[in-house]
Amino acid sequence: VSDEERDFDAIWRDIGPTLWRAVLAYSGGRRDVADDAVAEAFARAIERDRQIREPRAYLYRVAFRIAAAELRRDGAAPERDVPLEDEHPLADLAPALRRLSPSQRAAVYLHYVADLPVRELASLMGTSSAAVRVHLMRGRRRLAELLGEDQPDE
Amino acid sequence: MSERWRRELRRLEEATPTEGLLERARLGPTSTVPDRRTASPAVVVIVAFSLFAAAGALTWNAFGPRIGGTTDGVGSASRMSATLHGVSLEYPASWTLVDLWPLAGDIASWPEPGSVIDVPKDTPEHGGLPVLQLSNRDLGLGSACGAELNGGEAVLYVAASGGPYLIDAEGHPRWPATLTRADGPCGPGWYAYRESWLDTGNGSGEARPYLVYAGFGPDVPDADRDEVFAAFSTLSFSPENDFLYPPAESSPGYVQGTLEDQTSDTYVFSDVRIEEYPYRERSGDIRG
């Protein structure tokens, strides 16, 4: 890592929105959790700057960890229903997402929407590819069940 | 993309981050949730004890059985499954699974944060690099490898190893792939030596050896002994990515697996903060 300070504006543009949405999915649509976790992760990354070798992986891991801690602190369970406005883009999806585990939510979003390969996703989530495949398989199966459709072949 | 779930999932892209998050981040960290193991053991004990005391009788009742080590996995209807640092296994829901990987940081060395592990040559003396520990009683966050197990305690211990010490002078594995009674680096017990293959691309790969140790106290119930072997039979190791790296973003802690009919949650989700759980360090013979 060079001695120059990192350009966190560029890092934010590169991964900020995707990370935020991933945490939003992970938390089952909790915007407050996504805001807090992502802002805190960036705050720590900015503070440590050159101590961090891979800021992208660092930001993902720290953001997920903080989100997990907030959810635990709130006693959030998959069944917990956080009301969303009717026009909210997740109004239909969020209840189904909340029936998945947090890791399943994050995995299906990052893989099927953000198009991250399994191996990269595993690295960012701090787990193994095998575990990610399990999350994806169970996540998409559960979503298909919850949304009243047949399980995809994939 | 014709399935409804995929279409719905795409709607996540319509959600936009709250404005000003980066500016908020520039004000500095505020959360008390640590992102790495920063607290000294003494501080952790104090924090844990304080939180525990403050939680009151209800919390005590909720957590008491885990602390007291009186849980009984025999005949448990529910089972857990978890994947931790690439190691997957199933076990009775009432048993305790601990992430020992941070202890590996006391044994191995990494040239710099984020770098690949550099296994020291004297690793054999420590029974490998601790990865996880499953036990029928809550033994705390220390490794039971090398410790004398008491009473009815039953432990399954998994360690990533540097490999060479597990090979005898003729170059053969010292132990078979199935648990076999032996006297090894963790003390008398049962040992298995295995290897998983890490695909490094382009048709090449590296063998990743790992050590499994099963230890039992003198009065362990047969049912608990059977549960250890049953857990071993479900054990697999996919040594990809994170197990190679130091616990820079982790901390030691109890692992929450999930019910078998749901999913196995790993690392991030299972990274239970030790500050949030009352625990006891077992003194004396436990070594890290």
Side-chain angles (χ1 to χ4, degrees):
Chain A
V1 178
S2 75
D3 290 337
E4 292 183 12
E5 289 187 357
R6 285 199 171 91
D7 182 355
F8 279 96
D9 287 307
I11 293 173
W12 171 265
R13 287 193 299 273
D14 181 31
I15 69 166
T18 298
L19 171 60
W20 183 86
R21 291 186 193 104
V23 179
L24 183 70
Y26 180 83
S27 62
R30 294 279 304 275
R31 173 178 280 270
D32 58 332
V33 172
D35 285 353
D36 289 349
V38 172
E40 182 67 15
F42 267 88
R44 296 183 190 187
I46 291 169
E47 184 180 65
R48 295 181 180 169
D49 198 2
R50 290 190 303 272
Q51 300 173 28
I52 301 167
R53 184 169 180 172
E54 301 287 349
R56 189 164 182 252
Y58 176 89
L59 285 164
Y60 266 85
R61 292 194 184 196
V62 173
F64 280 126
R65 181 158 300 107
I66 293 168
E70 290 205 21
L71 292 173
R72 282 197 298 272
R73 189 158 45 228
D74 292 351
E79 297 76 18
R80 185 180 182 210
D81 189 20
V82 179
L84 294 167
E85 316 87 80
D86 289 341
E87 67 276 14
H88 193 286
L90 303 183
D92 294 331
L93 179 62
L97 277 177
R98 290 191 194 112
R99 302 292 294 275
L100 277 58
S101 78
S103 293
Q104 287 174 351
R105 300 170 200 154
V108 294
Y109 167 73
L110 288 170
H111 186 67
Y112 293 114
V113 181
D115 296 325
L116 293 184
V118 168
R119 195 178 184 89
E120 182 178 358
L121 205 163
S123 176
L124 293 175
M125 293 180 69
T127 187
S128 67
S129 295
V132 167
R133 290 191 193 96
V134 171
H135 292 321
L136 290 173
M137 181 269 290
R138 290 177 173 166
R140 67 176 180 251
R141 177 186 294 169
R142 191 79 173 124
L143 279 178
E145 288 172 356
L146 293 168
L147 295 173
E149 296 187 354
D150 293 338
Q151 180 189 337
D153 293 331
E154 189 181 357
Chain B
M1 180 180 293
S2 57
E3 302 96 337
R4 185 185 167 208
W5 70 271
R6 288 194 184 225
R7 292 196 304 273
E8 288 290 335
L9 207 55
R10 285 282 180 197
R11 302 196 69 184
L12 280 166
E13 291 293 82
E14 300 173 28
T16 55
T18 302
E19 288 191 10
L21 286 184
L22 185 58
E23 288 69 28
R24 176 177 154 188
R26 291 191 192 284
L27 298 177
T30 58
S31 171
T32 57
V33 177
D35 59 3
R36 63 170 62 207
R37 184 174 53 146
T38 55
S40 69
V43 171
V44 168
V45 169
I46 291 169
V47 172
F49 181 80
S50 300
L51 288 176
F52 180 47
L58 186 61
T59 305
W60 169 259
N61 290 335
F63 290 121
R66 289 190 64 167
I67 304 166
T70 57
T71 52
D72 182 3
V74 180
S76 172
S78 60
R79 301 186 71 79
M80 311 286 272
S81 59
T83 302
L84 201 61
H85 308 299
V87 178
S88 299
L89 78 170
E90 297 178 11
Y91 54 97
S94 59
W95 285 38
T96 300
L97 183 64
V98 168
D99 180 356
L100 291 181
W101 187 239
L103 295 180
D106 297 334
I107 300 172
S109 62
W110 289 266
E112 57 182 309
S115 63
V116 176
I117 191 171
D118 176 20
V119 180
K121 291 179 180 177
D122 61 347
T123 298
E125 298 176 5
H126 298 268
L129 299 173
V131 175
L132 62 82
Q133 182 169 287
L134 174 69
S135 57
N136 62 341
R137 311 273 173 87
D138 185 347
L139 303 180
L141 298 172
S143 164
C145 177
E148 182 179 350
L149 293 170
N150 302 315
E153 293 172 348
V155 170
L156 186 70
Y157 165 90
V158 179
S161 76
Y165 80 100
L166 295 170
I167 307 296
D168 64 19
E170 286 73 42
H172 302 301
R174 186 171 296 176
W175 298 298
T178 56
L179 284 173
T180 303
R181 193 160 213 158
D183 189 4
C186 296
W190 298 70
Y191 288 88
Y193 167 79
R194 291 181 163 189
E195 282 185 346
S196 282
W197 187 253
L198 179 64
D199 184 358
T200 56
N202 300 322
S204 61
E206 299 173 18
R208 298 294 188 195
Y210 65 101
L211 167 73
V212 183
Y213 158 70
F216 304 102
D219 304 318
V220 64
D222 289 342
D224 283 14
R225 183 187 298 267
D226 292 343
E227 289 285 13
V228 165
F229 286 96
F232 174 79
S233 70
T234 69
L235 192 146
S236 63
F237 187 20
S238 299
E240 297 183 64
N241 300 319
D242 60 301
F243 103 99
L244 290 170
Y245 294 91
E249 322 301 343
S250 180
S251 68
Y254 294 99
V255 174
Q256 289 180 324
T258 51
L259 294 177
E260 190 176 21
D261 63 353
Q262 295 176 12
T263 184
S264 58
D265 271 308
T266 61
Y267 204 74
V268 171
F269 188 57
S270 64
D271 180 26
V272 179
R273 309 303 309 183
I274 54 177
E275 293 92 333
E276 296 173 2
Y277 279 75
Y279 79 102
R280 60 183 174 86
E281 287 284 6
R282 213 167 80 150
S283 60
D285 53 0
I286 294 290
R287 81 179 182 195

